[in-house]
Amino acid sequence: ELYWEESGWQLAGRKLEVILEDNEGVPATTLAKARKLVESDRVNMLAGVILSNVAYALVPYIESQGIPTIYPINSADDLTQRKRPKWLIRTGFSAGGNMHPFGEYAAKVLGYKKIAIVSLDYAFGWEIAGGFQKTFEDNGGQIIQKLWVPLNVQDYAPYIGQIRKEADAVFVLALGRWTLLFAQQWAASGLKDKVPLIAGGTYSDEHVLPQLGDESIGVISAHHYSAALDTPANRRFRAAFEKKYNRLPSFYSENCYTGARVVAEAAKAVGGRVEDRAAFMAALRAVEINDAPRGPVKMDPYGNPTQNIYIRKVERVGGKLQNTVIYTYPAVSQFWKYNPEEFLKQPVYSREFPPCRYC
């Protein structure tokens, strides 16, 4: 909405109309709402979706209708890997792909040899853990434990209590309420000052960061955005976002803001003729943005952004916690340094893959 307001609710000189529907996180509801939007409201494109079960369930309908679609948030790896829909791109990230640089960083720069993983037990958690494990082990490290935590967890203490003593570090994947619960119990466990904590990017993302305390200072994570990123584009975006919503922008905010801009750039490229679905979809796939708040964004041939991945460290600056960027991996592909064809011969990251050979 912020991007549309800044654009005067115009796309390539045409008035923009946005129709919002709530999919309730239910695949059947999503399909019913999509039918209404496409067949009754006659929209020119679809955008949205957060949960992977919904994201995958919608693909057959998108493909059968040939309706240009963007997912600004959903990060299910296979959407831009083995499955590769013709009528869909995403403008956020691939879960496993975002972690590939971090596995290498943990092994080569942080020098960790043995890591225990504590992750939420669902597809996003499996893919984040899998991407990290693959490159960490390819660079000589060992994942010595994987503790899968159910989504209805109320108490992390039993999981923290199982962490093996020989772990050089603990890698955690959490977000929202799970981050708050974990952080509180990590602080109480006595491990905080003994074992370094590193994390998937959502753990300390700005949607939860202001609610964390000193127990989270020093946590190192990797993500494609930080509100503390010190560039002209991000300073401007952050100021506009904070003024309007009175809170920090998170990666959710930036993904959607940049997603809106991708749509605008594609509409411009086809001279506003968004009714020509094939041309509009081709334009969406060809968008390159050099000055997004997160940094340069370019769509790869599979429909996923190639973009910077930032190694961030939680610090207190001016009395507030922030994800200070301590290292940047530029123009990272979801396939990292691997040959895409070879990479795609392996299964999608899951609870079982990669196998835990050192557990």
Side-chain angles (χ1 to χ4, degrees):
E1 285 184 1
L2 180 63
Y3 187 85
W4 303 137
E5 279 177 21
E6 291 175 355
S7 311
W9 292 91
Q10 299 271 321
L11 265 189
R14 296 181 65 178
K15 179 176 176 290
L16 172 72
E17 188 183 350
V18 177
I19 303 167
L20 296 172
E21 294 288 350
D22 180 6
N23 66 39
E24 298 165 17
V26 178
T29 308
T30 306
L31 285 168
K33 296 291 174 74
R35 282 195 188 96
K36 172 203 170 273
L37 290 167
V38 175
E39 296 166 39
S40 301
D41 299 326
R42 319 295 288 176
V43 297
N44 297 109
M45 77 172 297
L46 294 173
V49 178
I50 294 182
L51 303 177
S52 292
N53 60 338
V54 169
Y56 280 126
L58 194 52
V59 168
Y61 180 74
I62 290 167
E63 295 292 272
S64 69
Q65 290 294 313
I67 180 81
T69 304
I70 71 162
Y71 285 172
I73 300 293
N74 184 266
S75 60
D77 283 351
D78 243 7
L79 282 170
T80 56
Q81 290 183 8
R82 293 153 199 82
K83 300 210 180 342
R84 287 214 294 291
K86 183 179 171 187
W87 293 95
L88 170 71
I89 61 164
R90 65 162 140 234
T91 56
F93 68 112
S94 137
N98 256 29
M99 287 297 103
H100 288 150
F102 196 32
E104 179 177 300
Y105 187 88
K108 284 191 165 174
V109 181
L110 298 177
Y112 298 140
K113 300 280 185 269
K114 297 181 176 184
I115 286 180
I117 291 176
V118 182
S119 172
L120 290 169
D121 192 7
Y122 72 127
F124 180 64
W126 307 333
E127 290 176 356
I128 289 281
F132 179 83
Q133 179 182 349
K134 167 120 178 110
T135 54
F136 182 65
E137 292 190 340
D138 282 355
N139 282 280
Q142 296 181 357
I143 298 300
I144 59 166
Q145 196 172 24
K146 289 190 199 176
L147 297 168
W148 299 115
V149 181
L151 297 182
N152 63 358
V153 66
Q154 300 301 326
D155 183 5
Y156 268 100
Y159 300 94
I160 292 172
Q162 289 178 57
I163 292 169
R164 285 170 59 179
K165 299 280 183 286
E166 62 269 36
D168 297 329
V170 172
F171 175 93
V172 63
L173 182 277
L175 64 159
R177 79 166 188 92
W178 297 285
T179 290
L180 297 173
L181 196 57
F182 181 91
Q184 181 189 348
Q185 292 182 307
W186 180 253
S189 72
L191 286 179
K192 180 191 171 299
D193 299 320
K194 296 179 189 162
V195 187
L197 187 66
I198 61 176
T202 56
Y203 179 85
S204 63
D205 178 64
E206 287 76 9
H207 76 275
V208 73
L209 189 62
Q211 296 160 268
L212 295 172
D214 286 354
E215 81 291 325
S216 299
I217 290 173
V219 172
I220 294 176
S221 63
H223 215 20
H224 60 284
Y225 180 67
S226 163
L229 198 56
D230 196 15
T231 62
N234 190 51
R235 286 195 298 270
R236 194 199 65 72
F237 166 65
R238 179 174 167 166
F241 190 92
E242 287 187 19
K243 184 179 173 189
K244 182 154 180 64
Y245 301 107
N246 201 27
R247 59 187 160 93
L248 282 173
S250 66
F251 87 91
Y252 296 101
S253 331
E254 199 282 343
N255 278 8
C256 292
Y257 183 85
T258 295
R261 181 162 168 200
V262 168
V263 174
E265 299 286 351
K268 255 186 249 168
V270 295
R273 291 177 295 102
V274 293
E275 289 80 6
D276 183 342
R277 289 182 175 183
F280 186 38
M281 193 67 225
L284 285 166
R285 290 184 174 279
V287 170
E288 282 187 49
I289 296 172
N290 293 320
D291 60 346
R294 76 182 82 160
V297 176
K298 179 184 180 180
M299 301 311 299
D300 73 10
Y302 300 81
N304 191 73
T306 296
Q307 56 199 348
N308 295 349
I309 299 296
Y310 302 105
I311 308 298
R312 306 113 33 105
K313 186 177 192 176
V314 177
E315 294 182 340
R316 195 175 287 286
V317 177
K320 293 179 178 175
L321 293 182
Q322 70 172 39
N323 287 303
T324 303
V325 174
I326 57 173
Y327 190 79
T328 301
Y329 285 94
V332 173
S333 152
Q334 62 181 326
F335 302 110
W336 187 222
K337 297 171 180 176
Y338 305 106
N339 173 296
E341 282 180 23
E342 288 303 310
F343 183 89
L344 292 173
K345 287 176 186 170
Q346 72 178 19
V348 68
Y349 295 130
S350 67
R351 212 175 190 276
E352 286 75 39
F353 185 83
C356 200
R357 293 176 296 160
Y358 307 103
C359 282

